[in-house]
Amino acid sequence: MAADPRKLRPSELCRLLNSTPLGEVISERQLHRHRTRAGLRIGDARHIDLLRYVAWLVELRHAPKSEPDGDSYEKLKERARARNVALAIAGRDIGDLPEVVDPQRKAKAASDFRYFCEAYFPLTFHLAWSTDHLKVITRIEQAVLRGGLFAMAMPRGSGKTTICECACIWAVLNGHREFVCLIGSDEGHAMDMLDSIKMELDGNDLLLEDYPEVVYPIQALDGIANRCNGQLYQGHRTHIGWTAREVVLPTIPGSVGSGAIIKVAGITGRIRGMKYKRSDGQTMRPSLVVIDDPQTDESARSLSQCATRESILAGAILGLAGPGKKISGIMPCTVIRPGDMADNILCRDKHPEWNGERTKMVDAFPSNESLWLRYGELRAESLRQHGDIRLATDFYVANREAMDEGAKVAWPERYNHDEVSAIQHAMNLKLQDEAAFFAEYQNEPLPEDTGTDDELTPDQIARKFNRMERLAIPIGCNHVTTFIDVQANLLFYVVAAWEEDFTGYVVDYGTFPDQQRPYFTLRDARQTLTTATMNTGLEGSIFAGLESLTATLLGREWKRDDGAMLRSERCLIDANWGSSTDVVYQFCRQSAHASIVMPSHGRFVGASSQPFSEYKRRPGDRVGHNWRVPNVRGKRAVRHVVYDTNYWKSFIHARLAVAMGDRGCLSLFGTSPETHRLFADHLSAEYRVKTEGRGRTVDEWKMRPERADNHWFDCLVGCAVAASMQGVVLGGTEAKLQPEKKRVSFAALQRRRRA
């Protein structure tokens, strides 16, 4: 039976509409909602008129939609976005700056560095100033305001680093300097100084009161460096910088310190080309450099490192300001050893431009030594019994007038809570460690003692000069010897002249190629064998270097004082380095001076090793005093010499220890110890260790960890071996003649046994 489309039940209507290829288009629940909404317009309570239902749907689809009350969703979203942006900008903007609390204090501190320290850092500088402090403050103020260089050595704990940190803050806050560079012995040291400066800028309320244009934006960061890029003042970026290696003060209109920079670096790090480009496009270069303790304990004991740091100071650091501009510099330092970098910079004869100033803790020591000796005994006893110095302090209080007699200290207010006076404090430091006291607190380090009495220091070796000109040979000398030490980048050489009793004179020494500077190491050689000989290979550059050097040293004549001309009789070339052994042998075979040159091998002969004196001589061998020339066999058909390095190094140091004028003395040319500083550093690069074994005691020589090179020491040892080969003999070391053994036949031996 056909369904009537004008009178369909709801279920029938749903089945009918869902029977098309479109699939399900309506459900009974949806139809129920439509019937409720349309009412009786589409049917009665039980049936639905399909035609009316369709007409109602068409009318509903095309009916105009009324505008909703209020704004649309898009407008609401846009308003929310704008509100959030406004809130974000309001959070980034620091708002209005606080007013200056004390303009008069700020104005006075701008031109008075001492007042600035007292007014804004009362917790740091709570003690009265000493005369030395005031002198240093005046010199720092002059360097910042009017320019110039100033180096100062103050006792440890006198606040020299803190004063320099305050000088940096004073210079940038008051617009005296736009770019300050902090340089330490290494970058970590300089970063520690910058952290101290940042702590003052971020937490000093007194600075906030009078310098709100700088300190308020910094404190608004709340220690979060990520906020720097977005910080605003009156809608404009402040361009503030707050990193571990750099601080850029906020750009605030009307601020004299606007955009000032403080940057750090290590003295051996990346210094050249230091600059900063501001937001206005202006490129800034450092105008003030603060160099705090530029040397370490290790570098102070190395002449080459001291020279390297001095050259960096004179070149890279003082040239930071750029062409045509002078840089101002402040250098607080401590003298660690005589002749180190700080000692040289403070010397006004060597570096007058730095205006060096040395201060001491004690200007004059007490005259009553006996009472202070007793004080030292009581101090040690009190520390053992009570863990403090109460007994010594009671003794000092009872005898203070007599114990203070003749004493004068630079800073009377400096002493600890368990001490009575600055004199007692200074003497306690002296009793604790005298060497450290004179180095750290007096800036007059004691001469170094390297251990044993017969061990020489670099200063002692450098002072062993004979006042003869370089290349000149004394009249008593009959032998000239040369030694060349082969390295990958350089050839080190020494030429020495000898008398018959081993009295020696260093005539010349140097390197090939010549480095043209007084201090250097093998590692930092600028001119190398490769660059000098234009050979790309290692063997080729060594061969060409030996050829050029021997042509110079062996092809010339050496003039003696009486006018006689001498030539080098023997030239030994080190062949111990594995990469150069074959090329050295090849050179000695093919050299134009083949009769003079000879490869050499130093052997470490320890206490447990077989000494050269017990060497069993073989046919063709030549044996001398702790050296031998073995018979040659195999591919290297060139005779060579082997010698005991431990013995001959002790021998050389013994010759250097002999007083001038005595037989067997070894001396250097020239009239100034400064000429031989690096040479003396090489000769003292090793130390001896007495070792016992096999019933004998032997000096075993080892490298000092703080010394880099010993090549000229090896060369001088080789010159002495070459002299011994030429017949030079030290009195008392002549080889004992063995009684000649007569040949005995076997028959004669048999007859002796029967008898």
Side-chain angles (χ1 to χ4, degrees):
M1 178 178 178
D4 185 4
R6 306 295 298 269
K7 194 176 182 180
L8 295 171
R9 289 194 299 272
S11 59
E12 293 177 341
L13 178 61
C14 288
R15 285 196 297 271
L16 179 62
L17 295 178
N18 292 335
S19 299
T20 67
L22 296 177
E24 183 180 1
V25 295
I26 194 170
S27 64
E28 289 189 15
R29 180 177 295 182
Q30 190 176 6
L31 179 61
H32 177 73
R33 289 198 300 268
H34 287 174
R35 291 177 65 192
T36 303
R37 185 176 179 183
L40 296 176
R41 287 179 290 176
I42 62 173
D44 55 21
R46 297 182 62 187
H47 300 89
I48 301 172
D49 188 340
L50 178 59
L51 299 180
R52 289 183 179 183
Y53 179 46
V54 172
W56 179 79
L57 289 175
V58 172
E59 181 183 1
L60 182 66
R61 173 68 179 81
H62 295 285
K65 295 181 181 179
S66 60
E67 290 290 333
D69 295 336
D71 294 333
S72 65
Y73 172 75
E74 293 297 331
K75 290 184 178 180
L76 290 174
K77 188 169 68 172
E78 178 62 25
R79 273 206 308 270
R81 188 196 65 80
R83 184 170 61 254
N84 292 335
V85 169
L87 289 174
I89 293 176
R92 290 164 52 195
D93 200 305
I94 61 176
D96 295 334
L97 299 176
E99 296 293 330
V100 177
V101 174
D102 194 341
Q104 293 182 351
R105 178 176 62 181
K106 181 178 181 181
K108 182 177 180 181
S111 57
D112 190 338
F113 178 48
R114 174 185 175 183
Y115 180 76
F116 178 83
C117 295
E118 294 172 348
Y120 297 104
F121 305 96
L123 297 179
T124 302
F125 304 106
H126 59 278
L127 297 177
W129 299 108
S130 67
T131 305
D132 293 335
H133 280 126
L134 298 179
K135 187 188 302 182
V136 168
I137 287 174
T138 302
R139 300 298 294 275
I140 291 177
E141 182 178 299
Q142 177 183 351
V144 173
L145 295 180
R146 291 179 288 277
L149 304 174
F150 174 54
M152 57 175 173
M154 298 180 69
R156 182 71 65 190
S158 296
K160 59 180 182 295
T161 300
T162 305
I163 292 175
C164 289
E165 291 172 358
C166 293
C168 294
I169 298 174
W170 178 64
V172 295
L173 289 185
N174 295 284
H176 300 314
R177 298 289 168 175
E178 295 180 323
F179 195 154
V180 177
C181 179
L182 294 176
I183 296 178
S185 57
D186 52 52
E187 191 174 34
H189 178 201
M191 289 170 62
D192 291 340
M193 289 184 65
L194 185 63
D195 287 340
S196 178
I197 293 175
K198 290 165 66 177
M199 185 60 67
E200 292 292 349
L201 293 175
D202 192 27
N204 192 317
D205 293 335
L206 293 173
L207 290 177
L208 176 62
E209 291 179 359
D210 289 354
Y211 296 92
E213 68 278 10
V214 174
V215 180
Y216 183 75
I218 292 175
Q219 295 190 0
L221 297 174
D222 289 333
I224 303 174
N226 290 339
R227 294 180 177 177
C228 291
N229 291 333
Q231 190 182 80
L232 303 175
Y233 172 67
Q234 296 181 351
H236 300 282
R237 290 181 59 190
T238 60
H239 299 285
I240 188 173
W242 196 260
T243 67
R245 294 176 176 82
E246 181 181 82
V247 168
V248 182
L249 300 189
T251 302
I252 303 294
S255 171
V256 294
S258 179
I261 306 109
I262 304 177
K263 204 167 185 177
V264 302
I267 192 170
T268 57
R270 186 179 178 274
I271 296 178
R272 297 181 185 273
M274 186 179 294
K275 60 183 179 180
Y276 183 84
K277 179 162 284 191
R278 286 180 170 175
S279 58
D280 57 1
Q282 185 180 5
T283 300
M284 304 300 300
R285 289 184 176 273
S287 57
L288 174 66
V289 59
V290 177
I291 311 151
D292 183 49
D293 275 337
Q295 62 180 3
T296 62
D297 290 343
E298 179 184 353
S299 68
R301 286 169 173 79
S302 171
L303 291 175
S304 59
Q305 289 193 48
C306 289
T308 299
R309 293 177 184 239
E310 283 188 50
S311 63
I312 293 173
L313 178 64
I317 295 178
L318 296 186
L320 284 174
K325 295 182 181 179
K326 281 190 175 182
I327 195 169
S328 299
I330 305 170
M331 187 171 73
C333 57
T334 301
V335 180
I336 298 176
R337 63 174 293 277
D340 65 7
M341 177 189 180
D343 196 28
N344 293 337
I345 295 297
L346 292 168
C347 179
R348 297 199 176 191
D349 293 332
K350 296 180 180 179
H351 295 278
E353 70 279 5
W354 275 99
N355 300 297
E357 193 78 42
R358 297 175 189 251
T359 61
K360 305 177 182 179
M361 174 177 280
V362 180
D363 295 325
F365 286 95
S367 56
N368 197 327
E369 296 183 3
S370 59
L371 288 177
W372 282 106
L373 287 174
R374 178 57 183 160
Y375 174 88
E377 296 172 357
L378 290 173
R379 178 179 178 273
E381 182 180 350
S382 181
L383 288 172
R384 286 191 294 267
Q385 292 183 3
H386 307 289
D388 54 30
I389 59 171
R390 65 181 70 175
L391 300 180
T393 301
D394 293 341
F395 178 79
Y396 174 72
V397 171
N399 301 275
R400 179 173 180 177
E401 184 176 353
M403 296 176 73
D404 287 354
E405 184 178 354
K408 183 180 179 182
V409 291
W411 195 6
E413 287 75 16
R414 178 175 179 172
Y415 54 90
N416 297 329
H417 67 280
D418 58 346
E419 297 167 336
V420 179
S421 71
I423 297 176
Q424 183 190 9
H425 176 67
M427 295 303 291
N428 282 335
L429 292 174
K430 183 173 181 290
L431 290 170
Q432 181 176 328
D433 191 331
E434 186 173 5
F437 173 77
F438 277 96
E440 302 287 345
Y441 299 96
Q442 292 294 99
N443 287 299
E444 293 179 346
L446 300 174
E448 290 185 329
D449 182 10
T450 56
T452 60
D453 295 336
D454 58 347
E455 203 164 323
L456 301 175
T457 65
D459 291 337
Q460 291 174 322
I461 296 174
R463 292 192 183 98
K464 194 75 181 295
F465 52 84
N466 51 33
R467 303 187 184 280
M468 296 192 65
E469 294 183 1
R470 190 169 194 158
L471 309 181
I473 296 180
I475 192 171
C477 296
N478 296 320
H479 306 278
V480 177
T481 59
T482 305
F483 190 93
I484 300 175
D485 185 59
V486 179
Q487 301 296 326
N489 292 330
L490 292 177
L491 300 178
F492 291 82
Y493 69 88
V494 170
V495 180
W498 308 91
E499 297 182 14
E500 298 295 342
D501 57 2
F502 248 121
T503 301
Y505 306 86
V506 176
V507 177
D508 191 19
Y509 61 84
T511 62
F512 179 85
D514 190 4
Q515 296 300 297
Q516 301 292 332
R517 49 188 175 135
Y519 301 104
F520 60 91
T521 62
L522 177 63
R523 186 175 57 183
D524 64 5
R526 296 173 183 172
Q527 295 291 329
T528 63
L529 286 173
T530 303
T531 58
T533 60
M534 304 301 291
N535 283 290
T536 57
L538 175 64
E539 292 80 4
S541 61
I542 292 176
F543 191 96
L546 288 173
E547 199 168 41
S548 178
L549 183 58
T550 53
T552 302
L553 298 178
L554 306 182
R556 62 162 298 166
E557 293 182 333
W558 306 83
K559 187 175 181 180
R560 202 165 60 182
D561 284 348
D562 60 354
M565 305 303 292
L566 302 180
R567 286 183 175 271
S568 183
E569 298 176 342
R570 176 65 63 189
C571 175
L572 301 182
I573 303 177
D574 176 36
N576 258 4
W577 186 42
S579 301
S580 67
T581 302
D582 290 339
V583 70
V584 168
Y585 273 79
Q586 179 186 358
F587 172 78
C588 292
R589 207 167 32 239
Q590 301 176 2
S591 173
H593 307 280
S595 60
I596 300 175
V597 296
M598 178 181 286
S600 66
H601 296 271
R603 292 288 183 262
F604 182 90
V605 181
S608 59
S609 306
Q610 181 184 13
F612 270 53
S613 58
E614 298 178 5
Y615 171 74
K616 186 177 181 180
R617 186 169 183 169
R618 295 180 176 85
D621 290 354
R622 183 186 172 197
V623 179
H625 187 57
N626 286 287
W627 58 266
R628 66 176 181 268
V629 180
N631 189 14
V632 292
R633 293 178 182 176
K635 63 176 182 178
R636 295 171 180 167
V638 176
R639 302 205 75 178
H640 60 275
V641 61
V642 182
Y643 59 92
D644 181 354
T645 55
N646 283 325
Y647 171 83
W648 283 102
K649 286 178 179 179
S650 299
F651 181 86
I652 287 296
H653 265 256
R655 300 308 101 225
L656 290 168
V658 174
M660 293 291 292
D662 287 348
R663 291 184 177 182
C665 169
L666 179 59
S667 58
L668 314 178
F669 62 84
T671 58
S672 172
E674 295 298 326
T675 308
H676 305 294
R677 287 294 180 187
L678 184 57
F679 187 73
D681 209 16
H682 278 234
L683 266 60
S684 59
E686 299 185 31
Y687 66 97
R688 72 181 81 192
V689 178
K690 290 191 179 296
T691 308
E692 294 184 1
R694 298 183 62 184
R696 64 193 189 106
T697 302
V698 174
D699 289 339
E700 295 185 357
W701 288 83
K702 303 180 183 298
M703 282 289 295
R704 299 182 188 275
E706 71 273 11
R707 301 285 171 82
D709 296 333
N710 67 336
H711 310 296
W712 278 325
F713 186 25
D714 293 339
C715 290
L716 191 55
V717 167
C719 286
V721 174
S724 179
M725 294 176 65
Q726 297 306 117
V728 179
V729 178
L730 179 67
T733 62
E734 298 90 343
K736 295 181 180 179
L737 295 177
Q738 298 290 337
E740 184 178 355
K741 295 182 179 180
K742 296 181 179 180
R743 295 174 65 88
V744 180
S745 65
F746 180 74
L749 289 175
Q750 293 292 337
R751 286 193 295 270
R752 289 180 185 178
R753 289 180 180 177
R754 295 192 194 100

